Amino acid sequence: MTNTQEYPTRDAQTGGRQATGAGQPRRWHSRATVAVFFICLLAALWGATLWELSRAEQDARAAAETMTKNLARILAEHMLSTVKRIEMVLKVLDRAWTPDHARFIDESQRLRTEIDDLAFQISLAEPDGLVSYSSTQLGAAPVSIADREHFKAHLSGPRKPIFIGKPVLGRVSGKWSIQFSGRIVRDGKLAGVIVLSVDPDYFAHFFWSLGLDEKDVVDIVRDDGVLLARASTTDNIFGGTITDTPYLVPAPPMSGNFRRASQIDGIERVFGFYRLPLYGLTFVSGRSVESVFSPFEQVRNTVILVVASVSVILLILAALIIDNLRHRERAKRQLQLAANVFDRSGEAICITDVDTTILTVNDAFCRITGYTHNEIVGETPRKLASGRHDQKFYKEMWDSINTRGWWQGEIWNRKKDGTIYLEWLSINVIHNSRGEPLNYIGVFSDIKKIAGTQRRIEFLATHDELTLLPNRTLFNDRIQQAIEGCAATGGRFAVAFIDIDNFKIVNDSLGHSTGDELLRELAKRLRELLRATDIIARFGGDEFAMLLHNADRAIADKTARRISEALTRPIRVGGQEIYAGASIGISLYPEHGADALSLLKNADTAMYLAKDQGKNTYRFFTDQLQQVVNEQLNIETGLPRAIEHGELLLHYQPKFDMDSLKVVGLEALVRWQHPVEGCILPGRFIPQAEKSRLIDLLGEWVADTAAAQIAAWLKAGLAPPQVAINLSPSQFRRGDVQPMIERILKRHGIPPRLLAIELTETALMSDRQEVQQALTAFRDMGLEVAIDDFGTGFSSLSSLRHYPINQLKIDRSFIMEVDRSPDDRAITQAIIAMSESLGLSVVAEGIETIEQFSTLKALGCRIGQGYYFARPMPPEQLLADGLLSDGYEGQGGESEPLEGLS
C-alpha cells in the first residue's frame, strides 16, 4: 500500500525550512497565549471573589454599625422616659415639702405605691447633708450624704431640675443604686435635697430583654466619662471612667459608630452610641468583632476553599494544554529537523513505497546520480541499475531485507550520463503499527569519495595541515623506529630542535596569514637542505624538529650550519622580504638519550641555550648542560616544597649612614636552607623561579615574612628601621604586587613607612604609563620605592624624573673599582650629583674595603651597604649585635654574590 504522506515531499521540506525562522516565535506565542488566558481567567476569578468578599465584609460591618447604633437609641429612648418620670416625682415632692415634712412623707409613700414598676428609694437630706427622711428605715445613728456627689452638686451653681450621680453603695440600704437628685429652694435658700435611688437592675432587665449575645455590652456614660452602668449577659459593672472615645470629644455628634478594644475587658467590639445632651448622657451598645464577622468568616473560608479548588483545576488544565502544545511543537520541530537532515545530508537518501516506487530523494541523491527530483520521483530504483549484478545478487539482497529488515553492501549503479560508479548502500524497512512493510529507505554514498576522505583523515592524523610536514606523533614514531634499527646495527642518528627567532613579531606586525605563508616557505627551504633519508616535522607554532639518520656530531654540525646560513637569506612573503633566523638545539643518539622523549627534551634544552646565547645559532646538548637541567629541575620541584616545609629564611643586611655609622635601613635577602645541600644563595634559584612563575609564590612569601618580622619587632617594643624587599620585574609587570602588598600590610597591621620596595631598572622597561601608575599606587599606600642595581640597565637619570621613586642604589660593579678606576669614580660621582638634584637619596651597595668607604664618603654618598659594615644576618643576630639601635662599623671581608628578593 502506498502512503506518500508518511514522508515529507520536497515541497514540504522546503516549506519546513522556510518556516524554521518564524516557527519558534509562533510556537512560543501559542503557549504564551494559553498561559496568558489562564492567568487572566484566574485573575478575574480571584478578583471577583475578593471583591465580593470585601463587599460582604463591608455589609457585615455596616449591619453591625446600624444595629448597635439603633440599639443605643432604643436604650436612650427608654432611659429618657424613665428620667422624665423621675423628674416628675422630684417636682411633686418639691411642692409637697414643708418644714415639718408631713406632706412630703405622705406624698412619697403615695408615689412609691403608684409607681410600682420603677423600684426606687426616696430620701430627704437637710442643707447640712444629714438624712432626715428615707423610705427605707433609718438606723439609730444619723446618716450624712454631705460628701456624696449627688448632694454636693446642689450646693452651688445654677439650679438643675435633676442631677444624675455616680452609682454608689447606699449607706442606708447597703445596695448599689443610681442617684437622681433635685434641690428644694425656699426663699432663695437651699431647704433640702431630694434623692431618688434607682436599682440598676431596673435598667439591666431592660437590656437583657433585648436579647444580647454573650459578648455584647451596653453602657450608660456621662459626658464627663463616668460610667454609670455597664450591662452584659454575664455581669454588671457600676462606676469607672471611659476616655478617648468619639462621643467624649468637644462638640460630639448625636450618634455614631466606632471600633476599638474595650477599655474594661479588652474585647474588640463594634460600638454604636446615641447621646441625650439635655441630661449629659450617652448610651453605647457594643457587639464583639468575633460575633459580627464570624458568619462572614465562615462564608469567606468556604468561598476561598471553593475558588482555590477551582484554581487548582484550572492550573492543572492549563498545564495539560501547555504540555500538549509543547509535545506537538516538539514533534513539529523533530519533523522539520528530519526534513532538514534529509535534504542536507551528505549521503544520498531515497524513500520508496512498499512497491519500490520512489516517493522522494534528497539533494545528495540528485548530485551523485545526476537526476533531478522531478525526473526520478515516480520511477523505481531499477532506473539506476548498472547491469553488473545477476539475479542471485538481488535475491540475496531482498531475502535479507524481508527477513532481517535491512541490508547493506557495495553495489554498482549507473548515473544519468551513463557513468557506472561503486556505492555503499544501506536499505532499511519502515513498518506500520501492525508490523507490515510501509516504506523502504535507501542511503548510499560514492565509495571513491569516501576513500579519498579517509585517506585525507589518515594523512592529517600524522601530518601538519599547514606545511604538510609530519607532525609530532609521526616524528616520535620515526625516532622509535630509528632507535630500534640502531640498537640492532649499532648505528647513530641526531635529533635537532628548531625554533624560529622573532616569529611572534612577524605575526603581530604583518598578520597571521603572512605568518602562515612564512612557515610554509620555511618548511620548503628546510626540506631542500636535508638528505632523502632525513625527516623534518612541524611540532606546532614556530617549532620544527629534524631526524638525521646515520649522523654523528660532524654531520649534525654541518647540517645545522647549513640551516643557519640558509635561514639568514631573506624570504619573500606577501611582497616583503623577511629575515628569519633560527635557534637550533641538537642531541645525539645514544649519548644524549635512549628514547624519543629524552632526545627531544635534551635537544629542546640545547635550543634554549642557543636562544640565551644570542639566537640564530646552534648548540649541542652536553653533560654540563645536563647538570644545569637537573639543577633547574630540582629547583623547580623543590622550591614549592621549601616554602611549604619552612626551608626558606630571611637574612637582613643593614644600610648605614656614612657619617654616623648608624643603621638607617635593612634589606631582606632570602636564603634556602636545603636539607641536603645546606644554605643555597638566591643566585642559584631565583633565575629558575623567574622562568617557572614560582617567583610570584616566592615573592609573596618574602614580603609576608618580612612584614611579620617587622610586626614582631614592634610588639617587642623595638623601633626597627625601614625594611626593603626586592620585587621581581616579571611579577611587577604582571600587576599582582599592589593587592598582595595591601593584603600583607593589613594582615600584620604594620605602618607602610616601615616597608620599602626595591626594583631593578629592567622593571621600568615596559609601558611607561603602566609603570607610573603602579609606582604612584605604591606612593599613595605610603611605601618608598628604590631602584636597585642602577647603572646596569638602559634607563637614565633624566627618565627617572617621570617616576615617583625615592632612592637609587648604585650597582656594585661601579663600587668594586671606585677607589682605583677614574671612570667608575666619575660615573659614581655623576649619579650622586644628579640624584641629589632630583631629590633622590643614594645607596652604595657592595662596599667591602676602607678605601671604597673613604672614596664614596668623599664623593658625597650618604648611605652605604656591604661587607665592610655587616653581612646579611638572621634577626636574632641583629639584636645580639645591637644593630637595631646603635651604630656599628663593619670589618670588611670576602664578598658573596648578594642577590635579594621579596
Side-chain angles (χ1 to χ4, degrees):
M1 176 179 179
T2 301
N3 188 350
T4 58
Q5 294 184 0
E6 285 288 323
Y7 296 91
T9 65
R10 193 170 196 80
D11 293 338
Q13 296 169 33
T14 304
R17 288 196 301 272
Q18 292 171 345
T20 301
Q24 183 64 26
R26 284 200 298 271
R27 289 192 295 269
W28 177 88
H29 181 71
S30 62
R31 292 200 303 270
T33 301
V34 173
V36 169
F37 171 77
F38 276 95
I39 290 173
C40 292
L41 183 61
L42 287 173
L45 175 63
W46 279 101
T49 300
L50 295 177
W51 182 85
E52 186 63 30
L53 289 176
S54 174
R55 193 176 63 81
E57 183 181 17
Q58 293 174 1
D59 290 346
R61 183 185 300 109
E65 291 175 349
T66 301
M67 186 191 76
T68 54
K69 191 159 58 174
N70 290 338
L71 183 59
R73 182 162 187 172
I74 292 172
L75 294 173
E77 295 292 343
H78 174 73
M79 187 66 176
L80 180 61
S81 172
T82 301
V83 171
K84 290 292 186 182
R85 295 170 66 193
I86 292 174
E87 189 175 9
M88 179 195 70
V89 171
L90 289 174
K91 288 180 179 180
V92 171
L93 292 175
D94 183 23
R95 288 194 299 269
W97 182 86
T98 59
D100 59 0
H101 305 332
R103 285 186 61 201
F104 181 90
I105 294 172
D106 293 341
E107 194 66 29
S108 65
Q109 291 175 350
R110 183 184 67 78
L111 290 173
R112 289 198 64 200
T113 303
E114 291 180 358
I115 309 175
D116 58 353
D117 63 316
L118 181 62
F120 59 90
Q121 172 189 341
I122 301 175
S123 300
L124 176 64
E126 298 301 322
D128 60 358
L130 288 175
V131 177
S132 58
Y133 169 77
S134 175
S135 59
T136 302
Q137 188 66 36
L138 291 173
V143 177
S144 175
I145 62 171
D147 59 333
R148 297 291 198 183
E149 178 194 39
H150 55 273
F151 177 81
K152 291 192 293 183
H154 298 289
L155 296 180
S156 62
R159 181 176 182 179
K160 301 175 182 178
I162 187 170
F163 177 79
I164 304 173
K166 297 178 182 178
V168 296
L169 186 64
R171 290 173 179 169
V172 177
S173 65
K175 298 179 180 180
W176 281 98
S177 60
I178 298 176
Q179 310 302 318
F180 297 83
S181 62
R183 69 171 65 176
I184 301 173
V185 179
R186 295 292 185 269
D187 300 326
K189 295 182 180 179
L190 179 66
V193 175
I194 305 170
V195 179
L196 271 66
S197 302
V198 180
D199 189 346
D201 285 345
Y202 170 78
F203 302 105
H205 282 101
F206 178 75
F207 298 158
W208 297 335
S209 68
L210 298 177
L212 301 179
D213 288 341
E214 180 181 355
K215 294 182 180 180
D216 292 353
V217 296
V218 291
D219 297 339
I220 303 175
V221 184
R222 286 195 331 204
D223 285 351
D224 59 357
V226 172
L227 177 67
L228 298 180
R230 160 168 285 200
S232 67
T233 58
T234 56
D235 59 359
N236 298 323
I237 297 173
F238 308 108
T241 303
I242 303 298
T243 59
D244 299 328
T245 57
Y247 53 81
L248 294 179
V249 299
M254 282 292 295
S255 64
N257 292 97
F258 62 95
R259 175 176 172 174
R260 61 175 292 177
S262 171
Q263 297 178 14
I264 297 175
D265 56 18
I267 297 175
E268 186 177 11
R269 293 184 174 90
V270 175
F271 290 97
F273 66 88
Y274 189 86
R275 297 179 58 249
L276 291 179
L278 179 63
Y279 298 102
L281 298 178
T282 301
F283 299 87
V284 184
S285 171
R287 295 210 66 190
S288 68
V289 171
E290 180 182 348
S291 300
V292 171
F293 294 105
S294 178
F296 160 75
E297 289 177 352
Q298 293 177 359
V299 173
R300 180 191 62 189
N301 294 338
T302 302
V303 170
I304 289 177
L305 180 62
V306 172
V307 174
S309 301
V310 173
S311 299
V312 171
I313 294 172
L314 289 175
L315 288 173
I316 294 173
L317 180 61
L320 292 174
I321 294 175
I322 292 174
D323 187 63
N324 179 264
L325 288 174
R326 186 182 295 111
H327 281 86
R328 290 173 59 185
E329 291 162 4
R330 185 181 300 118
K332 186 176 180 180
R333 287 197 300 271
Q334 290 174 347
L335 181 62
Q336 291 177 345
L337 178 61
N340 290 334
V341 170
F342 172 82
D343 199 40
R344 300 175 185 179
S345 172
E347 294 182 308
I349 302 175
C350 173
I351 301 177
T352 74
D353 60 16
V354 72
D355 298 321
T356 72
T357 300
I358 296 175
L359 303 177
T360 186
V361 297
N362 66 351
D363 291 342
F365 182 97
C366 298
R367 187 173 59 253
I368 293 174
T369 64
Y371 288 101
T372 65
H373 185 269
N374 293 333
E375 289 174 338
I376 199 66
V377 170
E379 303 288 344
T380 66
R382 287 188 292 272
K383 191 175 183 69
L384 305 175
S386 64
R388 291 195 175 187
H389 301 288
D390 55 15
Q391 291 297 323
K392 180 181 178 183
F393 174 85
Y394 290 110
K395 182 178 183 304
E396 292 175 353
M397 173 193 292
W398 281 104
D399 287 345
S400 175
I401 293 172
N402 293 329
T403 56
R404 295 188 295 178
W406 61 274
W407 177 89
Q408 65 179 9
E410 294 181 356
I411 186 171
W412 290 95
N413 271 337
R414 187 187 304 274
K415 299 182 180 180
K416 180 180 178 181
D417 60 6
T419 303
I420 295 176
Y421 65 99
L422 183 64
E423 67 182 41
W424 180 265
L425 174 63
S426 297
I427 301 176
N428 288 274
V429 184
I430 303 298
H431 297 89
N432 60 20
S433 58
R434 296 186 298 276
E436 301 169 344
L438 187 63
N439 297 93
Y440 299 103
I441 300 180
V443 181
F444 65 87
S445 54
D446 193 331
I447 288 182
K448 290 183 179 179
K449 292 184 178 180
I450 294 176
T453 302
Q454 185 65 32
R455 285 194 299 271
R456 176 164 178 77
I457 292 173
E458 292 174 354
F459 178 82
L460 293 179
T462 56
H463 288 75
D464 173 55
E465 186 174 9
L466 178 64
T467 62
L468 303 182
L469 295 177
N471 61 14
R472 185 189 294 268
T473 302
L474 183 58
F475 189 80
N476 286 339
D477 181 70
R478 293 296 183 264
I479 292 179
Q480 189 59 40
Q481 291 180 14
I483 291 173
E484 293 172 357
C486 291
T489 62
R492 301 162 59 82
F493 64 86
V495 174
F497 202 95
I498 305 170
D499 186 269
I500 306 303
D501 295 331
N502 303 320
F503 178 76
K504 186 176 184 299
I505 297 177
V506 176
N507 253 351
D508 293 344
S509 59
L510 301 180
H512 289 278
S513 59
T514 302
D516 290 345
E517 189 176 349
L518 175 61
L519 289 174
R520 283 191 289 266
E521 290 298 323
L522 286 171
K524 179 180 178 182
R525 186 170 293 188
L526 290 173
R527 274 197 302 264
E528 293 171 351
L529 297 173
L530 298 183
R531 300 170 298 176
T533 58
D534 298 333
I535 297 175
I536 180 170
R538 181 186 177 219
F539 276 17
D542 56 356
E543 295 178 343
F544 296 86
M546 286 185 177
L547 174 60
L548 307 177
H549 286 284
N550 300 319
D552 54 13
R553 184 182 182 92
I555 294 175
D557 186 283
K558 183 178 178 180
T559 303
R561 193 181 303 276
R562 287 204 318 271
I563 293 173
S564 295
E565 293 173 353
L567 295 186
T568 58
R569 299 194 302 270
I571 300 175
R572 192 162 189 82
V573 175
Q576 300 188 47
E577 288 188 345
I578 298 175
Y579 293 84
S583 299
I584 305 172
I586 305 170
S587 62
L588 301 174
Y589 174 84
E591 295 96 318
H592 302 146
D595 58 78
L597 181 62
S598 299
L599 289 168
L600 282 170
K601 184 175 180 297
N602 292 336
D604 184 51
T605 302
M607 183 271 293
Y608 276 106
L609 178 62
K611 275 195 176 297
D612 292 340
Q613 295 182 354
K615 300 182 179 180
N616 197 29
T617 186
Y618 62 93
R619 290 292 181 269
F620 282 88
F621 186 78
T622 62
D623 293 338
Q624 183 181 5
L625 190 57
Q626 180 66 56
Q627 293 176 0
V628 173
V629 171
N630 291 340
E631 182 173 355
Q632 290 176 349
L633 181 61
N634 291 336
I635 289 173
E636 187 173 337
T637 56
L639 193 55
R641 185 200 68 241
I643 296 175
E644 182 179 354
H645 293 172
E647 297 175 9
L648 297 181
L649 51 89
L650 285 185
H651 284 186
Y652 298 87
Q653 187 173 29
K655 302 174 186 177
F656 289 84
D657 184 278
M658 300 280 276
D659 294 325
S660 64
L661 294 182
K662 298 290 185 179
V663 176
V664 295
L666 299 172
E667 181 178 3
L669 303 168
V670 67
R671 301 290 187 266
W672 182 355
Q673 192 63 38
H674 197 280
V676 177
E677 300 184 38
C679 185
I680 302 177
L681 296 178
R684 286 182 58 189
F685 60 85
I686 288 178
Q688 183 61 26
E690 288 270 12
K691 294 179 181 179
S692 61
R693 291 289 295 272
L694 288 172
I695 196 68
D696 293 353
L697 184 63
L698 181 60
E700 183 165 357
W701 180 89
V702 174
D704 187 72
T705 304
Q709 183 61 68
I710 295 172
W713 283 331
L714 292 173
K715 187 176 181 181
L718 299 174
Q722 187 182 73
V723 177
I725 56 175
N726 293 274
L727 286 183
S728 157
S730 60
Q731 186 180 15
F732 174 74
R733 283 191 290 266
R734 281 192 288 272
D736 302 329
V737 177
Q738 180 190 348
M740 180 261 288
I741 296 294
E742 286 179 339
R743 289 197 307 272
I744 290 173
L745 289 174
K746 184 177 181 181
R747 182 185 307 147
H748 297 289
I750 63 173
R753 59 181 174 78
L754 292 181
L755 198 65
I757 304 297
E758 289 192 7
L759 295 167
T760 60
E761 285 183 274
T762 55
L764 308 181
M765 302 303 173
S766 57
D767 185 88
R768 175 174 161 182
Q769 186 176 0
E770 291 182 359
V771 171
Q772 192 171 29
Q773 289 176 351
L775 295 179
T776 301
F778 286 144
R779 182 193 62 191
D780 295 341
M781 290 167 59
L783 303 174
E784 291 192 0
V785 178
I787 302 302
D788 198 11
D789 300 334
F790 184 77
T792 59
F794 299 97
S795 62
S796 63
L797 283 168
S798 62
S799 66
L800 295 179
R801 62 189 174 88
H802 300 293
Y803 301 118
I805 61 176
N806 307 95
Q807 191 177 80
L808 292 183
K809 297 186 71 176
I810 305 174
D811 186 64
R812 71 180 60 253
S813 62
F814 300 109
I815 305 303
M816 291 174 61
E817 301 289 333
V818 71
D819 57 324
R820 296 188 297 273
S821 170
D823 292 338
D824 289 347
R825 187 163 51 251
I827 293 173
T828 303
Q829 186 174 16
I831 293 175
I832 294 172
M834 291 292 290
S835 298
E836 289 184 351
S837 68
L838 293 174
L840 306 177
S841 62
V842 178
V843 179
E845 58 179 344
I847 302 175
E848 299 181 1
T849 66
I850 184 63
E851 291 80 12
Q852 294 169 352
F853 171 77
S854 300
T855 302
L856 289 166
K857 186 175 180 182
L859 292 175
C861 185
R862 305 296 177 83
I863 304 174
Q865 181 183 12
Y867 284 4
Y868 173 75
F869 304 102
R871 289 174 174 268
M873 59 188 73
E876 55 270 17
Q877 188 175 344
L878 286 172
L879 291 173
D881 292 347
L883 295 181
L884 291 181
S885 57
D886 298 328
Y888 175 81
E889 184 176 353
Q891 300 301 316
E894 293 298 326
S895 172
E896 65 166 314
L898 298 177
E899 298 181 44
L901 179 85
S902 77

